[in-house]
Amino acid sequence: MNPAAPLLRWAAGPGAAALTLAALLVLWEAGVRGFDIPRFLLPAPSDVAAEFIKDWRLIFGHAVQTVWGILAGYAAAVTFALAASMAMIRWPLVERMIMPLFVASQSVPKIAIAPLILLWVGAGAGSKVLVVASIAFFPVVINTMAGFKQVDRGLLDVFASVDATSRQTFFRLRLPYAVPYIFAGLRIATTLAVLGAIVAEWLAATDGIGYLVLSGSFNFNTARSFAAIILLAVIGMSFFGAMGAMERALSWQRAEDGATRAQA
């Protein structure tokens, strides 16, 4: 066995991203130092790391508030989206009534209606949760409905031939069949939930990573803003990765794909 094989596999897989990131950081550091760019305009990676180490308590404290808003808004979005999807697949009239409203709501940038949400709900946790939910629910609705409608017609005929009720057909056929589609929507919604939380914090907040980014830029502490942005990226990637792990554990399609690869 080639002793370098594990290293080559790592370099061809996750190592490629790690090496690319390391190269970009080196170029960033060298560019800032070489061109003597002012720290308030573009800090070097070493400046960002130093700022993160110095103010880690402050940064993590704000991050906790952002994560709470993301999780609460995401949970509200998923609950509403799944309930609406179940109602629409059960009663087609409901879909004809409310789906156009959902599509119209997504045609309006949330940054345009966020001030209205702040006016109605007030600045605070409630407005953040509502903004996150309003942004994150749509991909879950669309993908869930696609999954419900993609059920094989032959399977529906089999259930009808044994006089299965609508409830039995839904919970034993439509819902299991739609699980991969639902998780696809959930993964898309994770990134939108992070975006929604930051939008809400930019508009009116006294805590959170979005607030920290703005305060850092207003005070010309760009290194702090970069540290907050990097932590936000880590939060978003972790959220997305956690949803992917949940999908691999619960989705029959992922399990089936894994079994096929193992046999190959």
Side-chain angles (χ1 to χ4, degrees):
M1 179 179 178
N2 185 0
L7 181 60
L8 292 175
R9 284 197 298 269
W10 178 82
L19 293 174
T20 301
L21 178 60
L24 290 175
L25 290 176
V26 170
L27 290 175
W28 180 3
E29 184 80 25
V32 171
R33 303 298 181 189
F35 292 100
D36 197 22
I37 300 176
R39 184 175 183 271
F40 73 89
L41 188 62
L42 180 63
S46 57
D47 296 327
V48 176
E51 182 68 27
F52 191 89
I53 294 172
K54 184 182 71 172
D55 288 335
W56 70 269
R57 291 182 183 274
L58 173 69
I59 296 172
F60 273 100
H62 283 277
V64 168
Q65 300 302 318
T66 299
V67 170
W68 182 91
I70 292 172
L71 293 177
Y74 185 80
V78 171
T79 301
F80 173 75
L82 293 180
S85 299
M86 288 188 289
M88 287 190 289
I89 201 65
R90 177 65 180 83
W91 298 289
L93 177 60
V94 175
E95 180 181 7
R96 292 194 295 271
M97 291 173 59
I98 65 176
M99 184 58 81
L101 299 179
F102 289 164
V103 175
S105 70
Q106 293 304 301
S107 302
V108 180
K110 293 301 177 291
I111 193 69
I113 64 172
L116 295 176
I117 294 177
L118 293 173
L119 177 64
W120 297 331
V121 182
S127 61
K128 186 187 300 186
V129 170
L130 193 55
V131 171
V132 172
S134 67
I135 292 178
F137 86 95
F138 189 69
V140 183
V141 168
I142 292 298
N143 282 274
T144 301
M145 288 300 295
F148 286 159
K149 292 180 177 181
Q150 289 297 320
V151 177
D152 186 83
R153 185 65 198 177
L155 294 176
L156 289 173
D157 292 339
V158 169
F159 271 68
S161 67
V162 296
D163 292 329
T165 64
S166 298
R167 183 185 183 88
Q168 291 172 329
T169 301
F170 177 80
F171 283 103
R172 297 186 181 183
L173 179 59
R174 286 192 185 275
L175 184 58
Y177 199 92
V179 166
Y181 294 85
I182 294 173
F183 272 107
L186 292 177
R187 283 187 282 114
I188 296 172
T190 57
T191 57
L192 295 179
V194 174
L195 172 64
I198 298 305
V199 167
E201 291 172 353
W202 277 348
L203 290 175
T206 57
D207 53 29
I209 293 181
Y211 168 79
L212 200 63
V213 171
L214 286 181
S215 66
S217 62
F218 290 155
N219 296 316
F220 298 99
N221 191 350
T222 315
R224 178 182 294 175
S225 296
F226 269 90
I229 291 171
I230 291 172
L231 181 57
L232 180 65
V234 172
I235 291 171
M237 292 173 61
S238 301
F239 196 9
F240 188 88
M243 195 55 58
M246 187 180 299
E247 179 181 9
R248 288 190 293 273
L250 299 178
S251 175
W252 58 266
Q253 188 176 66
R254 289 287 177 144
E256 184 180 76
D257 292 345
T260 302
R261 287 193 296 268
Q263 291 173 0

